[in-house]
Amino acid sequence: MSGTRVFLIAVVSLALLSGCTAHTNNNSSNLLQDSTENIRSSQEVESWINEAETPSEQFMMDLRETLNLSFKIFDAMENNQYSFLESTKAKEITIDKENNQIVYKYYGEEIRSDFLKGLNFSNLEYWGSGYNEDGSGFQIVFANYFQDTHGTIYFEFIREGDHWLFNGFTTNA
């Protein structure tokens, strides 16, 4: 399929170039020069985009720590491992063992989120991550796919000392 696409692009390009030969040599060389400048500028833009998208080493370390912690928290909620949840939570989080819920404040309101249970890891996908505005928080976003739709899970972390701690989650899954 890819070879066919390359072949078609080559044929179209040759047809366009052969159509340009009907113009005077001066116009043809200007067209070729303009075309070369556009290619150079496209390559420069692509280089700038690639440089801008390269995550820092610190970001990658924070992502690795919070992503690993996320999977362990999924497992701890599935298996009611309260001691692990207690050891990885931020100060403001409460683990309600009686109701299997995570309790936290969100914009001044108490949020009670049931433990996530029955996640099928073959249907779970990492969607993205990033720091909050002041850099003290980190969010990881997952998609949990169902038959014809998906739910989104937002895990929040906060840096306390040298480690990221679980700071709650929201979901529509």
Side-chain angles (χ1 to χ4, degrees):
M1 175 107 180
S2 177
T4 305
R5 187 177 305 159
V6 170
F7 175 75
L8 289 174
I9 291 171
V11 169
V12 170
S13 298
L14 286 174
L16 288 173
L17 288 175
S18 66
C20 293
T21 58
H23 298 286
T24 65
N25 284 341
N26 189 23
N27 288 341
S28 180
S29 65
N30 286 343
L31 180 63
L32 184 58
Q33 183 180 358
D34 290 346
S35 181
T36 304
E37 288 173 8
N38 286 338
I39 290 171
R40 189 176 317 127
S41 350
S42 298
Q43 289 169 343
E44 288 172 8
V45 168
E46 186 175 327
S47 172
W48 296 329
I49 290 171
N50 288 338
E51 288 174 17
E53 291 179 359
T54 303
S56 70
E57 186 176 329
Q58 183 61 51
F59 176 84
M60 294 305 295
M61 290 173 52
D62 292 339
L63 175 60
R64 182 176 54 241
E65 184 179 345
T66 55
L67 193 56
N68 285 332
L69 189 53
S70 296
F71 290 124
K72 292 174 182 177
I73 291 169
F74 284 141
D75 183 62
M77 286 191 282
E78 180 69 36
N79 296 301
N80 299 330
Q81 295 172 343
Y82 306 114
S83 60
F84 179 79
L85 292 170
E86 289 286 345
S87 72
T88 60
K89 72 174 186 62
K91 295 173 193 169
E92 296 79 22
I93 301 294
T94 303
I95 307 299
D96 180 349
K97 298 174 187 175
E98 194 171 303
N99 295 308
N100 288 334
Q101 294 179 325
I102 306 291
V103 183
Y104 59 97
K105 296 276 187 203
Y106 190 73
Y107 289 105
E109 290 191 39
E110 182 178 271
I111 304 294
R112 301 180 75 78
S113 297
D114 292 335
F115 285 2
L116 295 171
K117 298 275 190 175
L119 289 175
N120 183 347
F121 286 100
S122 64
N123 293 339
L124 190 67
E125 183 177 293
Y126 166 80
W127 262 16
S129 57
Y131 297 103
N132 66 0
E133 289 180 14
D134 68 2
S136 65
F138 197 83
Q139 182 182 70
I140 296 190
V141 183
F142 297 95
N144 186 20
Y145 288 93
F146 305 106
Q147 291 176 352
D148 60 348
T149 188
H150 74 277
T152 310
I153 304 167
Y154 300 88
F155 262 49
E156 304 290 336
F157 296 91
I158 190 165
R159 183 171 288 286
E160 290 184 9
D162 294 338
H163 300 288
W164 289 102
L165 296 176
F166 180 54
N167 201 34
F169 72 93
T170 56
T171 183
N172 64 354

